Amino acid sequence: MSGQVIQGIDYAAVAAPLVVALTAGLVLVLDATLPARPGGRRLLGGVTLGGVAAALAVVAVQAVQGVRRETFCVPASLAGVQPAGSQASCSFVADRFTLVIAAVVLAAGLVVVLLSMSEVAIARTPAGEWYFLLLATLTGAVLLPASRDLIMLVVSLELVSLPVFALTALRRYDGRASEAALKLLLVSVVSTAVMLFGVSLLYGVTGSVHLDRIATFYATARPQMPYGGAGVTTVAVVLVLAGFAFKIAAVPFHFWAGDVYRGAPVPVAALLSVISKAAGFAGLILILTVALSRQAAIWSPVIAVVAALTMTAGNVLALRQRHAVRLLAWSSVAQSGYILAPLAAFTATGRAGHTGGAVAASVAYLVFYAAMNLVAFAVVMRVSTERERNTLDDYRGMALRSPASGLALAFSLVCLAGLPPGLAGLFAKVVVFREIVAGGLGWLAVVMAVNTVVGLYYYIAWTARLFTPAEAGSRQQTNAPVAVAAGIALAVTVVFSVVPQVVLSALG
């Protein structure tokens, strides 16, 4: 047996998740050792914010360098029978796709940390536990797009999911938060079990956990494919899709979204809406387009139907919502359908194996959506600190009594609707629509167009409330962390609206 078994670790490749993980450890130590003083919460928040910013800087440096980094590799000689010239298979790969998703996750993490500072101060939530769990989730979310084997994918995805249960339930003596945490726990346990069953079947058929080796197995049409292997593969694909559908709140596994978003603290709802969703889509894209690209004939029709149902269900359910967070929850479900849609055209585009085409369209929409949605959640967080009910009527006249917040929310909603001057949302929908049409899925393009019109109603209705005169009320107090969070997200959204090409150029 040849090949190097014991290898060094490329710490430059794993620098970003390592920085986040070390920051989580530092927060835990500081929380245990620092005396209980009023400034302790702010210190922990500052350390968390600094750690996330440092990790984002690492990702930016890696993107500028443009070097593909790999580590935790297994030599081809240890893979059994492999085609001649096979390369080593690596469990961690920092390529362009990884860096784009990591940048989205960490940038969103900055906003969520700023929102968390307000949550921790107002709700008297345990600061050390809160920031540690948040950093643990961010660590998993940064690891996931770099994962290139099934084991690391599952572990990273669970590292994203498990801390969120505790974050949701950290509001002690809040029955709604406890209910949301329990529902999220049950949903996640079921989805993980389903996905693990599918993953085990894939391993049983292919004999490998590395995504590239699974792809090679199906590409070479091995004669030693076990009897019934094609049928087992089909079942495995369906189970893996079902498991990820839970994570991204896709139909028919979307039922948990409204209650969980409503019961969770607003920063956790923002985390679920952007960071958790980005991680879930990253894992789904990797499995489908890297490991199972040869099985696209099986999964692409399923993705098309699920995308159509998801965007339809999300928009229809959002129409009847009167609570701001519940509306954003069902809007997020609809947006998941738009993100899924280009993947249904993966086969027809003929661009398998790289981040162009269908994958680029999905990731681009995800990037635009993250920025737009975080603006809305930041403003909703500000309102929730003053109005406990947080219904849409609480936003009546906001643009008149608090112009900065009102206009920011209005711009976010217009972007999500895909209307000018919110060109970020319009450009995102055009990119997805173009890819669907190029893939020959005209019926899906029609469904998307109809759903875009349906979505206009609740986005415009909410926006109209912002400019409707209301009874004179007290002027909203300035909340510095929330204002900074809204400002950052709004600035990014404006940049995307002015120069949307920057996103696609980053994807290559």
Side-chain angles (χ1 to χ4, degrees), residues 27-380:
V27 165
L28 204 60
V29 171
L30 290 175
D31 182 55
T33 56
L34 288 178
R37 292 179 179 175
R41 294 170 178 267
R42 291 193 295 271
L43 175 61
L44 294 177
V47 171
T48 303
L49 190 66
V52 176
L56 183 59
V58 169
V59 170
V61 170
Q62 291 177 338
V64 171
Q65 291 175 342
V67 178
R68 175 187 172 97
R69 297 182 181 274
E70 303 174 341
T71 190
F72 305 118
C73 301
V74 176
S77 58
L78 300 181
V81 180
Q82 289 286 315
S86 295
Q87 302 296 317
S89 296
C90 301
S91 296
F92 188 100
V93 177
D95 56 8
R96 180 174 292 181
F97 174 82
T98 300
L99 296 177
V100 169
I101 299 296
V104 171
V105 165
L106 291 170
L110 287 175
V111 175
V112 172
V113 171
L114 288 167
L115 298 181
S116 297
M117 291 179 177
S118 178
E119 172 68 23
V120 168
I122 294 173
R124 306 303 297 175
T125 306
E129 291 92 327
W130 179 282
Y131 291 122
F132 172 78
L133 292 168
L134 177 56
L135 288 166
T137 295
L138 289 175
T139 301
V142 176
L143 281 172
L144 202 145
S147 303
R148 294 300 187 273
D149 71 56
L150 296 175
I151 296 174
M152 191 168 176
L153 271 173
V154 172
V155 171
S156 299
L157 191 59
E158 290 312 298
L159 186 55
V160 175
S161 302
L162 291 176
V164 180
F165 312 151
L167 282 171
T168 304
L170 271 183
R171 273 187 175 177
R172 299 169 183 173
Y173 312 111
D174 186 335
R176 196 183 295 273
S178 299
E179 178 188 352
L182 180 60
K183 287 182 178 179
L184 190 58
L185 172 64
L186 294 176
V187 167
S188 185
V189 167
V190 172
S191 66
T192 300
V194 170
M195 184 171 57
L196 281 174
F197 191 17
V199 165
S200 65
L201 292 178
L202 277 179
Y203 174 72
V205 172
T206 64
S208 178
V209 296
H210 287 90
L211 303 186
D212 58 344
R213 292 181 180 176
I214 293 174
T216 300
F217 179 90
Y218 288 116
T220 54
R222 291 172 174 273
Q224 60 266 43
M225 166 91 72
Y227 177 75
V232 174
T233 297
T234 301
V235 174
V237 170
V238 172
L239 291 176
V240 170
L241 286 178
F244 275 102
F246 273 105
K247 302 293 186 182
I248 62 176
V251 170
F253 310 109
H254 63 294
F255 52 84
W256 59 271
D259 290 340
V260 170
Y261 278 60
R262 171 69 178 86
V266 174
V268 177
L271 185 152
L272 286 169
S273 178
V274 176
I275 297 174
S276 181
K277 190 181 294 289
F281 271 108
L284 180 63
I285 289 171
L286 285 173
I287 286 186
L288 294 182
T289 65
V290 177
L292 300 174
S293 59
R294 296 286 178 170
Q295 308 300 312
I298 298 174
W299 57 258
S300 59
V302 178
I303 290 292
V305 173
V306 170
L309 293 175
T310 300
M311 64 179 74
T312 302
N315 281 316
V316 170
L317 289 169
L319 288 174
R320 58 188 297 271
Q321 301 305 318
R322 295 296 177 266
H323 189 276
V325 177
R326 288 185 71 91
L327 189 150
L328 288 175
W330 294 119
S331 165
S332 176
V333 171
Q335 302 293 337
S336 291
Y338 300 142
I339 299 170
L340 275 174
L343 296 178
F346 182 79
T347 303
T349 59
R351 292 171 176 155
H354 59 78
T355 57
V359 175
S362 287
V363 176
Y365 195 100
L366 179 63
V367 174
F368 288 123
Y369 158 79
M372 298 182 294
N373 217 43
L374 286 172
V375 177
F377 269 106
V379 178
V380 167

Side-chain angles (χ1 to χ4, degrees), residues 383-477:
V383 174
S384 69
T385 61
E386 301 180 359
R387 300 176 184 245
E388 186 176 354
R389 292 179 60 206
N390 207 0
T391 64
L392 296 185
D393 287 334
D394 291 331
Y395 295 80
R396 194 178 298 274
M398 175 182 253
L400 305 177
R401 67 176 181 269
S402 182
S405 296
L407 293 176
L409 180 57
F411 185 71
S412 169
L413 295 174
V414 168
C415 283
L416 288 168
L419 295 175
L423 297 180
L426 178 62
F427 187 78
K429 285 183 169 58
V430 168
V431 169
V432 170
F433 191 83
R434 181 181 61 190
E435 194 64 30
I436 295 172
V437 172
L441 297 173
W443 69 270
L444 184 56
V446 171
V447 172
M448 179 179 172
V450 171
N451 273 282
T452 300
V453 175
V454 173
L456 291 178
Y457 172 78
Y458 58 85
Y459 287 128
I460 292 178
W462 192 357
T463 304
R465 280 181 169 87
L466 300 175
F467 297 92
T468 302
E471 295 181 3
S474 60
R475 185 179 180 86
Q476 291 182 322
Q477 299 297 318

